[in-house]
Every structure is written in C-alpha cells, then in structure tokens.
C-alpha cells in the first residue's frame, strides 16, 4: 500500500514559484514566470533585441566604410614596378645591384636593396631614396655592403615615400 504524501504548501519551500515573502499570503496560488522573477520581462527582451540590431547595423556600416576606404586607397595609390637586372659581386663585402623602377612621374620612391648568400640569407641591406623625376621609368645601380661573402643581390620592394 502506498504511503500518504505530506504537503509542504505554505511552509516556504514552494517549488512552483509562488511569492509568499512579505505579502502575508495574499499572492498564494498566483504563478510568476521565472523571467519576471529575475528581471526578464517582455520589455527587456524587446530592448535587448533592438540593441543587438543596432550593434549589427553598426558593424555592417563600419565594414562597408572600411571596404570603401581600402578600395579607394588602392585606386588613388601610385603603381610602382621594379625589375632587378644584373648583379655582381665586387668583393667579399660588396655587391652591386642594377634595377629599373617604373613609377608615376614626380612620385617619391624608396627601395630596399639586399644582398644574399647561397642559402638566400640576407647578408646586406640598404634603403635607397630615389630622386624625384619627370620620367616614369628609370634605371639605377646601387652597391650594398655585406656582413659576409654574398653571391647575389636583389630589390626586395619599392614603395611610395614622402619627399624630403
């Protein structure tokens, strides 16, 4: 035979969520959802939804602006092309590098010229500020001092620089 169960209603351990504290028992039997008890109401849900929509819109606007800025920067930027010509080892501490640079007329250009050993380790490096010219294609020869014997020279990169 099953044992009778003992009711604990009204003893402070209400598993249903009735509010008994401070109400003198007036709200007994009225159920309050957990969200309302802990501050999650329809108004806070609506506010949170609008905040998330606003945050998402802000992120989209920032990404669109950045994409436009980066794209326009590429269009405005001058194109610089470099072709490394012959290079020769002068002695154990010097390499001569010849190269041709094509850039917009009047552009200020700098190039990184380097010397390498047989393992392609950089043994010498030099930044060369090229003079401004009305010509678009110009040839240069630079001598790079090395820290150890080298076998070749190369132009790593060229970029637009501020004129001095």
């Amino acid at each position: 035979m099953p044992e009778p169960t003992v009711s604990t209603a009204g003893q402070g351990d209400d598993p249903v969520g009735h509010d008994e504290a401070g109400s003198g028992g007036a709200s007994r039997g009225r159920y309050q959802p957990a969200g309302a008890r802990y501050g999650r109401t329809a108004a806070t849900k609506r506010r949170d939804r609008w905040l998330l929509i606003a945050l998402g819109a802000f992120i989209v606007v920032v990404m669109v602006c950045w994409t436009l800025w980066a794209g326009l920067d590429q269009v405005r930027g001058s194109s610089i092309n470099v072709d490394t010509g012959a290079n020769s080892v002068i002695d154990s501490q010097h390499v001569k590098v010849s190269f041709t640079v094509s850039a917009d007329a009047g552009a200020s250009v700098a190039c990184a010229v380097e010397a390498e050993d047989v393992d392609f380790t950089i043994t010498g490096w030099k930044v060369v500020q090229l003079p401004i010219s009305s010509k678009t294609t110009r040839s240069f020869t630079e001598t790079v001092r090395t820290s150890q014997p080298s076998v070749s020279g190369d132009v790593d990169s060229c970029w637009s620089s501020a004129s001095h």
Side-chain angles (χ1 to χ4, degrees):
M1 175 177 230
E3 290 191 27
T5 58
V6 177
S7 173
T8 60
Q11 296 180 4
D13 291 336
D14 191 357
V16 180
H18 294 94
D19 183 15
E20 294 179 4
S23 63
S27 65
R28 250 180 237 228
R30 212 168 67 189
Y31 174 75
Q32 257 189 327
R37 282 184 282 162
Y38 298 109
R40 292 289 299 168
T41 62
T44 58
K45 287 180 185 179
R46 203 170 23 255
R47 181 198 67 207
D48 291 350
R49 186 176 330 126
W50 279 109
L51 285 174
L52 285 174
I53 290 170
L55 178 64
F58 176 75
I59 290 172
V60 167
V61 167
V62 168
M63 293 301 293
V64 167
C65 290
W66 180 81
T67 302
L68 290 174
W69 174 76
L72 291 176
D73 190 47
Q74 289 295 324
V75 170
R76 278 194 319 244
S78 64
S79 61
I80 300 173
N81 295 319
V82 62
D83 292 316
T84 303
N87 61 68
S88 60
V89 177
I90 298 173
D91 57 31
S92 64
Q93 293 184 338
H94 297 91
V95 173
K96 187 183 292 188
V97 181
S98 298
F99 57 99
T100 303
V101 175
S102 298
D104 293 339
S108 180
V109 178
C111 295
V113 184
E114 60 188 25
E116 301 171 342
D117 66 9
V118 293
D119 297 324
F120 301 105
T121 302
I122 297 172
T123 57
W125 188 76
K126 178 180 185 181
V127 174
V128 180
Q129 181 71 38
L130 305 179
I132 296 175
S133 174
S134 59
K135 296 180 181 178
T136 56
T137 302
R138 301 176 286 154
S139 296
F140 299 93
T141 299
E142 288 294 327
T143 301
V144 179
R145 185 177 172 91
T146 64
S147 60
Q148 59 190 19
S150 300
V151 296
S152 68
D154 193 16
V155 177
D156 179 60
S157 63
C158 291
W159 58 92
S160 183
S161 66
S163 60
H164 298 287

